[in-house]
Amino acid sequence: MSAAETAEPTADAVSVTGWGRTAPTTARMVRPRSYEEAAEAVRSCGARGGIARGLGRAYGDAAQNAGGAVLDMTALDRIRSIDAEAGVVVCDAGVSLHRLMEVLLPLGWFVPVTPGTRYVTVGGAIGADIHGKNHHVSGSFSRHVAALDLLTADGSVRTVRRGEPLFDATAGGMGLTGVILAATVELLPVQTSLMSVDTERATDLDDLMARLTATDHRYRYSVAWIDLLARGAATGRSVLTRGDHAPLDALPVRARRAPLAFRPGRLPAAPSFVPEGLLGKATVGLFNELWYRKAPRARRGELQKLSTFFHPLDGVPHWNRIYGRGGFVQYQFVVGYGQEDALRRIVGRISMRGCPSFLAVLKRFGDGDPGWLSFPAPGWTLALDIPANLPGLAAFLDELDELVAAAGGRIYLAKDARLRPELLDTMYPRLGAFRALREELDPQGVFRSDLSRRLSL
C-alpha cells in the first residue's frame, strides 16, 4: 500500500451549493484518494453524517450536508479495465462521462445514457439514475450497470449486482445507501462520433405531442425545446430535435479518415457577475422568439458533433452564473400517458405566469426503471429553469406540485431544492421499502444530506 493510500484524507470547511446555486450550506469537505481513505472518511463522519459528491451537477441540495461531511469522490477516477470486444468498462465512481467518452469513442463505444451534461461522474449517474434523450429506447443509466462496489455505513465494501434489492435502492437513491466506489457499465457500439439529426418545428403543444407519439419509435434520441412564454394558439410551440449515431457511410469522405474523433468545442466562460433581472420575461421572450424562428420547419439528416447534440451548454463553462447571484431552480416532473390534460394545464399555467425559462425541454419516457426512487416513469417529462428570485415562485411551484401529484406524477429529486415532504410518498410509492432498507443498513444515519433531512428520506 502506498503512502498516499495510508495518509489521512484531506478535509476543509467549505460552502457548498448545487448547480442551481441556491441554499448554500457549510460542510467539512473530505477528498479521499483511495478506497481506504473513503472508508476512513465514512467512519469519521461525525454526528451529522456524510454524503458523497461528484462534479456538483445536481441542481438542488442532494450533495450538500450542513454541519456534516461531504466526500468529494473525484480523485477516485481510475478506469480499471475495458473489454473492447464485449463493450464493458469497469471504472471508479469518480470517473466522468466526459473522460469515458474520450477513452471509449476511439474504440467504437459510447456511454449508454448521457444527460444534458457530460460533466457528471459515474457514481453520480447511478445515485441519481440519470436519464437522457433516449429513455424511451434505453431506459436510465442504471439499467446498463451490471454491478457496483458500495461502501456501506459499517465500513465494509459490498459488490452489489443488478436485480438485487440493494442495487435497486442505490439506483436513484441519492447516495443514501452508501458510497459508490466503482461500477461495471455496459456500453453502446457506434461507428462514428457524429450524429445524424432531424429537426422540425411544432406549432403548439398538441402538435408536438402528436408528432412525438407518432414517430418517436423511429429515433434513438428525441427531445423538444418548448417556448413556455408563448400564449394563445401558440402555447407550447416547440423545436423538435431527434437523431441517432451516424453510420460511417453517412460521413463525407474527409471525415471518414478519423470517424471516431471526439473534439468538443469550448466557448468563453460565463461572467462571474451578472446583474440581477437580466433574464427577465422580456429578454427570455426575445430569445425564445428568435430561437423558434431560426429553427428549420423541417431538416433531415444534418450531421452534428456529439457535443452539439447532447451537451451544448458544456461549451460554456460555469453557465449557471448567467442567472446571477440568486441562482435558479430547475423544476422537472413527469406525468403518465393518459394524463395529457394535466400536462396541458401545467404548461398553460407556466405560460400565463410568464416564467422566464429559455432552457425548457419536453421528452417522452419509456418503461419505468427498477430503482425504488428512480425518477423516470412512462409518460411526459418537462424540465425548465427559472430564476430563483422570481416573485411568488415558491407558492407557484407548490401549486404545480399539487397538479403533478394529482395526476400520479412525480418530481425529480436530483434537481429538486424545495419540494414539500408530505407529497413524497404519493409520488414515490416504493419510498417505504427504501426507508426500511436504509434503517436496516444504516441505523445510525451515517449517510445524510440536506435533501434527506428536508424530505425525511
Side-chain angles (χ1 to χ4, degrees), residues 14-186:
V14 298
S15 178
V16 182
T17 73
W19 191 245
R21 304 175 75 202
T22 60
T25 56
T26 300
R28 183 168 51 91
M29 185 71 76
V30 187
R31 298 175 176 86
R33 294 155 295 182
S34 67
Y35 291 0
E36 292 81 6
E37 287 192 0
E40 176 57 32
V42 167
R43 285 191 291 268
S44 58
C45 275
R48 294 286 287 181
I51 193 71
R53 181 181 177 93
L55 288 167
R57 292 303 181 103
Y59 286 81
D61 54 5
Q64 301 174 211
N65 185 25
V70 172
L71 280 64
D72 178 347
M73 301 298 293
T74 54
L76 294 174
D77 60 354
R78 287 175 293 178
I79 296 178
R80 296 179 169 267
S81 68
I82 300 171
D83 185 335
E85 294 296 321
V88 175
V89 63
V90 180
C91 62
D92 286 349
V95 173
S96 70
L97 298 192
H98 174 82
R99 179 61 178 153
L100 287 183
M101 292 176 196
E102 286 184 320
V103 172
L104 297 171
L105 268 169
L107 303 177
W109 297 98
F110 190 63
V111 295
V113 171
T114 178
T117 175
R118 60 186 179 275
Y119 294 110
V120 297
T121 62
V122 168
I126 297 169
D129 204 14
I130 60 170
H131 58 273
K133 298 176 174 70
N134 60 339
H135 190 276
H136 63 293
V137 173
S138 302
S140 61
F141 190 88
S142 295
R143 193 181 295 187
H144 306 273
V145 176
L148 56 88
D149 291 340
L150 186 70
L151 173 62
T152 53
D154 60 4
S156 64
V157 178
R158 305 187 187 191
T159 297
V160 187
R161 304 191 184 281
R162 186 169 53 209
E164 297 177 1
L166 182 53
F167 187 99
D168 292 344
T170 302
M174 308 310 297
L176 297 173
T177 61
V179 178
I180 300 169
L181 298 175
T184 301
V185 183
E186 299 160 346

Side-chain angles (χ1 to χ4, degrees), residues 209-228:
M209 289 193 290
R211 291 171 187 254
L212 287 168
T213 301
T215 59
D216 244 12
H217 64 279
R218 302 176 188 169
Y219 298 90
R220 180 180 296 274
Y221 302 100
S222 177
V223 66
W225 169 86
I226 183 170
D227 182 358
L228 291 176

Side-chain angles (χ1 to χ4, degrees), residues 90-437:
V90 180
C91 62
D92 286 349
V95 173
S96 70
L97 298 192
H98 174 82
R99 179 61 178 153
L100 287 183
M101 292 176 196
E102 286 184 320
V103 172
L104 297 171
L105 268 169
L107 303 177
W109 297 98
F110 190 63
V111 295
V113 171
T114 178
T117 175
R118 60 186 179 275
Y119 294 110
V120 297
T121 62
V122 168
I126 297 169
D129 204 14
I130 60 170
H131 58 273
K133 298 176 174 70
N134 60 339
H135 190 276
H136 63 293
V137 173
S138 302
S140 61
F141 190 88
S142 295
R143 193 181 295 187
H144 306 273
V145 176
L148 56 88
D149 291 340
L150 186 70
L151 173 62
T152 53
D154 60 4
S156 64
V157 178
R158 305 187 187 191
T159 297
V160 187
R161 304 191 184 281
R162 186 169 53 209
E164 297 177 1
L166 182 53
F167 187 99
D168 292 344
T170 302
M174 308 310 297
L176 297 173
T177 61
V179 178
I180 300 169
L181 298 175
T184 301
V185 183
E186 299 160 346
L187 305 168
L188 176 71
V190 295
Q191 296 181 13
T192 75
S193 61
L194 294 175
M195 302 295 295
S196 177
V197 181
D198 293 351
T199 304
E200 60 194 80
R201 280 193 269 178
T203 57
D204 57 30
L205 183 60
D206 284 340
D207 182 29
L208 173 62
M209 289 193 290
R211 291 171 187 254
L212 287 168
T213 301
T215 59
D216 244 12
H217 64 279
R218 302 176 188 169
Y219 298 90
R220 180 180 296 274
Y221 302 100
S222 177
V223 66
W225 169 86
I226 183 170
D227 182 358
L228 291 176
L229 287 178
R231 295 186 179 184
T235 298
R237 66 178 180 176
S238 312
V239 178
L240 179 55
T241 307
R242 295 181 287 186
D244 206 338
H245 298 275
L248 185 61
D249 59 13
L251 270 58
V253 174
R254 289 187 62 185
R256 296 181 197 179
R257 298 172 188 171
L260 291 164
F262 179 53
R263 303 187 185 96
R266 198 80 164 166
L267 297 174
S272 58
F273 172 75
V274 176
E276 297 295 332
L278 180 65
L279 293 181
K281 184 177 177 181
T283 54
V284 173
L286 177 61
F287 170 88
N288 287 1
E289 181 70 26
L290 293 174
W291 190 259
Y292 181 77
R293 294 297 175 189
K294 86 174 188 66
R297 293 186 183 275
R299 182 174 58 202
R300 306 292 180 214
E302 180 190 15
L303 293 178
Q304 293 184 4
K305 290 182 178 181
L306 287 169
S307 54
T308 300
F309 183 77
F310 288 111
H311 315 119
L313 286 174
D314 281 349
V316 184
H318 308 295
W319 64 262
N320 56 340
R321 293 175 180 170
I322 65 176
Y323 291 88
R325 290 197 183 97
F328 68 100
V329 173
Q330 169 117 156
Y331 186 76
Q332 184 168 6
F333 66 89
V334 59
V335 293
Y337 297 123
Q339 294 293 333
E340 287 76 14
D341 282 346
L343 179 62
R344 292 185 187 98
R345 286 196 299 273
I346 294 170
V347 169
R349 289 207 183 185
I350 295 171
S351 174
M352 293 303 295
R353 177 64 172 76
C355 292
S357 175
F358 66 90
L359 297 175
V361 296
L362 183 75
K363 296 191 292 280
R364 293 173 78 248
F365 280 156
D367 292 340
D369 299 288
W372 293 349
L373 296 188
S374 290
F375 167 67
W380 305 93
T381 181
L382 177 65
L384 59 148
D385 293 349
I386 312 171
N389 59 6
L390 190 71
L393 180 62
F396 177 68
L397 293 181
D398 283 347
E399 294 175 10
L400 297 190
D401 290 343
E402 295 287 351
L403 291 174
V404 170
R410 62 182 60 151
I411 302 298
Y412 192 14
L413 297 183
K415 296 183 177 181
D416 176 57
R418 29 71 48 205
L419 179 67
R420 304 196 314 275
E422 58 266 26
L423 293 177
L424 199 63
D425 287 88
T426 300
M427 294 180 172
Y428 287 90
R430 289 177 286 187
L431 182 60
F434 178 82
R435 284 173 170 152
L437 186 143

